[in-house]
Amino acid sequence: QGRFPEALALYARVLTDSAPHVKKRDSVTVAHYREFIASEVHAQRARIFYLQDDMDSARVEMSAALESMRERDSTDLVLLYESKAMFEQSLGMIYERLKQPDLAREAYGKALQEDLSYYAAHSRLAEMTLAKGDTATALSEMDLAVQLQPDDPALRFRYAEVLVRAGRDGDAAAQLRESIALDPYYGAPHLLLAHIAEEQNDLPRAIREWRALLLYDHENVDAARHLAAVATKAQSTDDALYAEQRVVDLDPFD
């Protein structure tokens, strides 16, 4: 409900109820349960602070969540190991927002030590290496992420963007088509495919992609204007008229 201060206060009460002087009154089962939920409560508080753009508090809480999990690992007989990959990845994202890239990479590395198949950490590492201009490593990380999570249309779209940056438009188009197959209502792949087609001077294909984008993004007047320009250039009268009518419908004062 967006009532973040109240949520933070309630989570703080849960942590207070899990304090050592309280646990002495508990049975062993209840004490273990309190310890079990403490890490998740810290993580929830971290997420709220993240949404409030309070990265220092988010870092403190996510670090506390990880420390709570490590304490359980060291003191309890572990029958079912809990992976810390998600919390480490969350900590990495916090460090990114704090502009501490070395600590962020370290956190993502720890996430992968916990779970080598954790695709989100591979994706974040790809973004960071791409920001440094290391396109080859970014492609390697994104390729692995997509192999681990092949059914994520947004991930395939981001991989396509990296492929375009590397000058591999054909491979990018293949990823974009996979993304569209996974989610036909996802407009971004159509947009990038349209631009790739224009770069290759394949105007009929560009027109198809612009029209497909407008099919799912009905109020995108910029797409309608762009389609009108491409259709006029291609001398495709029907497509130009369609696009111009969409512009009029969306922006009568254009």
Side-chain angles (χ1 to χ4, degrees):
Q1 295 179 343
R3 294 155 59 190
F4 292 151
E6 185 177 352
L8 287 169
L10 289 168
Y11 282 130
R13 285 180 58 185
V14 176
L15 292 172
T16 300
D17 288 344
S18 303
H21 71 278
V22 176
K23 289 191 285 187
K24 289 178 181 178
R25 303 195 302 262
D26 291 334
S27 67
V28 173
T29 301
V30 172
H32 281 188
Y33 176 70
R34 291 189 189 280
E35 292 169 358
F36 176 78
I37 65 171
S39 57
E40 182 56 34
V41 172
H42 280 299
Q44 290 286 63
R45 283 174 57 84
R47 294 177 186 120
I48 293 173
F49 283 126
Y50 188 92
L51 291 171
Q52 292 183 316
D53 202 29
D54 184 349
M55 293 301 128
D56 285 324
S57 297
R59 174 187 56 79
V60 169
E61 290 290 351
M62 193 58 71
S63 297
L66 284 161
E67 184 59 31
S68 176
M69 295 182 77
R70 292 189 187 105
E71 286 179 4
R72 288 206 308 276
D73 289 347
S74 62
T75 59
D76 292 347
L77 176 62
V78 180
L79 300 179
L80 180 63
Y81 180 75
E82 291 181 85
S83 173
K84 306 171 191 66
M86 183 174 68
F87 287 180
E88 291 285 7
Q89 189 245 348
S90 298
L91 186 59
M93 293 176 65
I94 292 167
Y95 279 129
E96 281 196 68
R97 292 281 295 276
L98 286 168
K99 301 190 184 306
Q100 295 177 299
D102 291 340
L103 290 174
R105 278 190 289 271
E106 181 182 343
Y108 294 140
K110 288 180 179 178
L112 292 174
Q113 288 175 10
E114 288 286 325
D115 182 358
L116 192 58
S117 67
Y118 192 62
Y119 81 96
H122 287 292
S123 176
R124 292 310 311 163
L125 281 171
E127 298 286 356
M128 294 191 71
T129 54
L130 185 64
K132 291 176 63 179
D134 187 352
T135 306
T137 302
L139 283 171
S140 177
E141 291 287 354
M142 287 300 297
D143 182 65
L144 185 53
V146 167
Q147 289 183 52
L148 294 169
Q149 190 73 9
D151 297 333
D152 186 332
L155 184 63
R156 285 188 177 273
F157 171 72
R158 186 61 188 125
Y159 185 22
E161 287 187 313
V162 181
L163 287 164
V164 167
R165 184 164 173 171
R168 294 168 54 183
D169 288 357
D171 292 331
Q175 290 297 324
L176 293 168
R177 286 191 287 270
E178 289 286 348
S179 178
I180 292 167
L182 289 166
D183 183 359
Y185 295 95
Y186 185 26
H190 291 292
L191 177 62
L192 188 51
L193 275 171
H195 284 301
I196 290 173
E198 286 183 48
E199 283 290 324
Q200 297 173 346
N201 203 34
D202 187 347
L203 298 185
R205 185 157 61 92
I207 289 170
R208 289 198 299 273
E209 295 302 335
W210 283 115
R211 291 197 66 145
L213 175 59
L214 282 168
L215 180 64
Y216 302 117
D217 191 357
H218 305 287
E219 298 183 1
N220 192 333
V221 66
D222 290 332
R225 290 193 185 101
H226 204 105
L227 172 58
V230 174
T232 300
K233 182 179 179 181
Q235 298 182 341
S236 178
T237 305
D238 289 344
D239 290 308
L241 289 173
Y242 163 78
E244 289 164 4
Q245 185 59 54
R246 292 299 303 273
V247 172
V248 171
D249 292 341
L250 292 169
D251 188 358
F253 303 103
D254 183 85

